[in-house]
Amino acid sequence: MTQPSQPSYDLVIFGAASFVGKLIVDYVCRTAPDGMRIAVAGRNRRKLAALDAPYPMIVADAADADAMARLARSAKVVLTTVGPYNLHGRTLIRACAENGTDYVDLCGEVVFVHDSVVELDDIARDSGARIIHSAGFDSVPSDIAVFQLSRMVDELGEVEMVISDLNGGVSGGTVASMLDSYQAASSEISSPERRQAIRSPFALAPGESSDQRVVATGFRPWDAPFFMAGYNTRLVRRSAQLLDYGENFSYVEYQRIGGRIRTAGFALGLVLIAQLIRRKWGRAIMRRFLPKPGEGPSRAQREKGSFTVTTTDVDSGAAVRVRLDMDPGYEGAALMIVEAAYSLLDGAGAPGVGTPATLGEAYVERLRDAGMEITGP
């Protein structure tokens, strides 16, 4: 199941003509080392040809198993933005796992990553493939901050993350992934056992459990629920399983809004969105009025982007700060995923289905060199 010969490319960017794919290509054009063999891939030759990039093109459809196998065999690392991953990503990731091709995505979909861990971890370990999910705002800041804490504290206990100064736009691709992820985790899964596994806080860390009350987020006078906590906390628990953060480890995320009234209003807005997304008619309304796939914020809007993450081990008081003055879902995401791909090319990580944190110190240093502030050792 491993690659029979030397791949033609070091890095293939699949979905290169998507909204965020173009930003990724631009980042690679500016940062790739001399001599790196790079190709751009997607299903539309015309859109690929319109990219301002000096790279060969690979035309391939995500639903074509033979095309995805050829794509996997052509590369050392495949970076993919083609989502929703639950709908469009399964053929490619299996091809990478079976052919020993390293893989990195921007996925924040519980169903897709759960199935990847359960179905492909052993296959990837056998083939030597390193599969890295969620190497964007889902969930690098959360994951890397806790990893840094684990290097400062002998055994982690109760860990809290608070995100503040969050400014960023929403793309149609993000909306589509969010809506599909909810639908896939509910009505499309017929087995009660499977629904229970997907909804578990340990959905991405099979076999793990806790006697403690496990929550993803909550409401405090100055802190609202963080809308990405439901996924991020699950991903971090996968890292805890792989990197052994200790048997007393627990993790929760909040968003700092500022002021009791503003915090309460923000929390109420999240409740209303949650009620909409649970209903078929609500999802239809959101699809109608929110950005469509391929749409996203303007450059001027993205230039205002930033975020700050402060993650604290409550018992010891040790804290890690992660900050980036870029739009977290766009230029920031491009930085995070490309540096993860470069880390894979450098040999970071171990075979199997991993997380950004499993890329270790090498990835942290790459992020720092690229402009992300990360405190800690």
Side-chain angles (χ1 to χ4, degrees):
M1 298 200 305
T2 56
Q3 295 173 322
S5 59
Q6 178 71 15
S8 301
Y9 304 106
D10 298 308
L11 175 63
V12 171
I13 304 166
F14 188 50
S18 68
F19 193 92
V20 73
K22 293 174 184 177
L23 300 176
I24 288 168
V25 171
D26 179 67
Y27 187 88
V28 169
C29 287
R30 292 185 284 108
T31 63
D34 292 340
M36 183 176 287
R37 301 168 302 161
I38 300 163
V40 293
R43 66 178 181 177
N44 190 309
R45 182 181 296 275
R46 178 182 58 81
K47 290 182 178 180
L48 290 174
L51 293 172
D52 185 17
Y55 305 133
M57 296 184 301
I58 300 173
V59 179
D61 192 303
D64 186 331
D66 290 338
M68 291 299 95
R70 289 193 296 271
L71 181 67
R73 289 192 292 267
S74 74
K76 290 183 178 179
V77 175
V78 171
L79 182 164
T80 176
T81 72
V82 178
Y85 293 91
N86 185 57
L87 294 178
H88 305 301
R90 292 178 178 270
T91 304
L92 174 59
I93 193 173
R94 178 169 287 276
C96 288
E98 291 178 346
N99 285 280
T101 303
D102 296 331
Y103 165 102
V104 61
D105 67 27
L106 292 170
C107 184
E109 303 168 29
V110 173
V111 171
F112 180 79
V113 179
H114 169 271
D115 291 350
S116 171
V117 172
V118 171
E119 298 172 9
L120 300 178
D121 188 47
D122 288 342
I123 294 173
R125 290 175 188 269
D126 289 343
S127 72
R130 292 165 293 171
I131 307 294
I132 303 297
H133 291 296
S134 313
F137 193 47
D138 291 327
S139 299
V140 169
S142 303
D143 204 30
I144 289 299
V146 179
F147 170 73
Q148 287 293 92
L149 268 184
S150 74
R151 300 171 62 203
M152 300 165 62
V153 180
D154 290 338
E155 183 172 316
L156 293 175
E158 180 183 352
V159 176
E160 295 181 351
M161 183 276 269
V162 177
I163 188 164
S164 58
D165 304 322
L166 177 58
N167 298 290
V170 176
S171 77
T174 300
V175 171
S177 289
M178 176 183 65
L179 296 177
D180 175 77
S181 184
Y182 182 83
Q183 186 167 329
S186 54
S187 60
E188 292 182 0
I189 299 173
S190 58
S191 162
E193 294 79 14
R194 179 164 162 75
R195 283 200 298 271
Q196 183 178 3
I198 295 298
R199 292 171 178 173
S200 164
F202 298 95
L204 310 186
E208 296 293 323
S209 63
S210 176
D211 295 331
Q212 307 172 68
R213 179 171 176 264
V214 179
V215 297
T217 190
F219 179 81
R220 303 189 295 197
W222 298 95
D223 296 322
F226 183 39
F227 66 96
M228 292 171 59
Y231 181 79
N232 286 341
T233 53
R234 288 175 166 94
L235 191 282
V236 169
R237 291 186 190 108
R238 174 65 175 167
S239 296
Q241 182 182 50
L242 295 173
L243 300 175
D244 189 14
Y245 291 162
E247 62 182 15
N248 296 316
F249 174 70
S250 66
Y251 182 63
V252 64
E253 296 189 341
Y254 300 95
Q255 182 169 350
R256 180 72 40 90
I257 303 299
R260 293 173 182 265
I261 295 176
R262 288 183 60 195
T263 300
F266 183 86
L268 178 60
L270 291 179
V271 171
L272 294 176
I273 291 172
Q275 293 302 313
L276 280 176
I277 202 171
R278 288 192 176 104
R279 292 162 173 78
K280 185 176 181 179
W281 59 265
R283 294 194 293 272
I285 290 173
M286 294 175 75
R287 286 191 173 97
R288 180 175 181 180
F289 291 102
L290 292 176
K292 307 294 188 295
E295 299 176 351
S298 68
R299 179 182 294 274
Q301 291 172 314
R302 299 197 311 270
E303 286 177 349
K304 300 175 184 177
S306 65
F307 68 86
T308 301
V309 160
T310 304
T311 303
T312 306
D313 180 73
V314 175
D315 291 338
S316 69
V320 168
R321 184 174 186 264
V322 176
R323 179 169 177 82
L324 185 64
D325 288 321
M326 293 182 182
D327 189 298
Y330 296 98
E331 281 80 1
L335 180 156
M336 289 181 247
I337 194 171
V338 173
E339 295 300 337
Y342 291 165
S343 297
L344 287 169
L345 288 170
D346 289 342
V353 178
T355 65
T358 63
L359 295 174
E361 298 176 31
Y363 183 41
V364 172
E365 291 308 313
R366 276 197 164 276
L367 291 172
R368 283 173 167 158
D369 291 344
M372 183 180 287
E373 177 189 337
I374 306 172
T375 61

